[in-house]
Amino acid sequence: MAARACLVIALLLPTQALAGWFGPPKYVKDACDKWCRAASSDLDATEACLACEKGPQTNPECSDDVPCDYCKAQITFPRHYPKLWKDEPTFDGKMEKLEGTTRCWCDTGCPVFYLKSWMWCSSQCSDICAKRAIEL
């Protein structure tokens, strides 16, 4: 386990330093800007803009009143995206493919969440990924 922790620290520190410089890709920022400009007169745009501003999704079942462990709150819940996110042509259908998936290593394309799911949610994600393999 100590070797895993050292590996994650070594891999995540440079990633975290660079994340502030790079953030979301330009096409995501552009779409978010477009939706936020239209938010005052369009409910779909309002929903899309709020999703942009909230940052990474957390499990809606978790709250101050209903606390969850890290894996349930951040990794193993099915993600859902606003209509405009799924329909945005510059996203090349990526959001539609992510609809209903988790941040486990078998679902995510994000290297940070791949490592986090492997490190801290290994047993939960192993179960989820085994079920995905059976479904295929």
Side-chain angles (χ1 to χ4, degrees), residues 9-83:
I9 290 169
L11 292 173
L12 289 182
L13 285 178
T15 305
Q16 292 303 312
L18 295 175
W21 291 338
F22 296 112
K26 183 175 181 344
Y27 67 90
V28 173
K29 291 179 183 178
D30 291 345
C32 286
D33 289 345
K34 173 179 69 174
W35 297 326
C36 291
R37 282 192 308 273
S40 63
S41 60
D42 182 337
L43 289 177
D44 287 336
T46 300
E47 181 185 26
C49 178
L50 288 173
C52 293
E53 293 175 346
K54 285 174 54 176
Q57 292 182 18
T58 56
N59 190 335
E61 294 177 6
C62 303
S63 67
D64 290 338
D65 296 330
V66 183
C68 297
D69 66 23
Y70 173 79
C71 296
K72 183 173 181 177
Q74 298 289 327
I75 303 292
T76 60
F77 69 98
R79 295 175 289 169
H80 298 289
Y81 295 92
K83 176 187 181 302

Side-chain angles (χ1 to χ4, degrees), residues 103-120:
R103 289 193 181 112
C104 289
W105 62 78
C106 58
D107 287 336
T108 189
C110 173
V112 173
F113 283 115
Y114 183 99
L115 286 172
K116 286 180 175 185
S117 69
W118 178 69
M119 286 292 300
W120 294 295

Side-chain angles (χ1 to χ4, degrees), residues 75-96:
I75 303 292
T76 60
F77 69 98
R79 295 175 289 169
H80 298 289
Y81 295 92
K83 176 187 181 302
L84 294 181
W85 280 64
K86 293 185 274 187
D87 295 344
E88 175 59 39
T90 62
F91 289 5
D92 295 325
K94 293 174 186 163
M95 304 317 288
E96 190 64 43

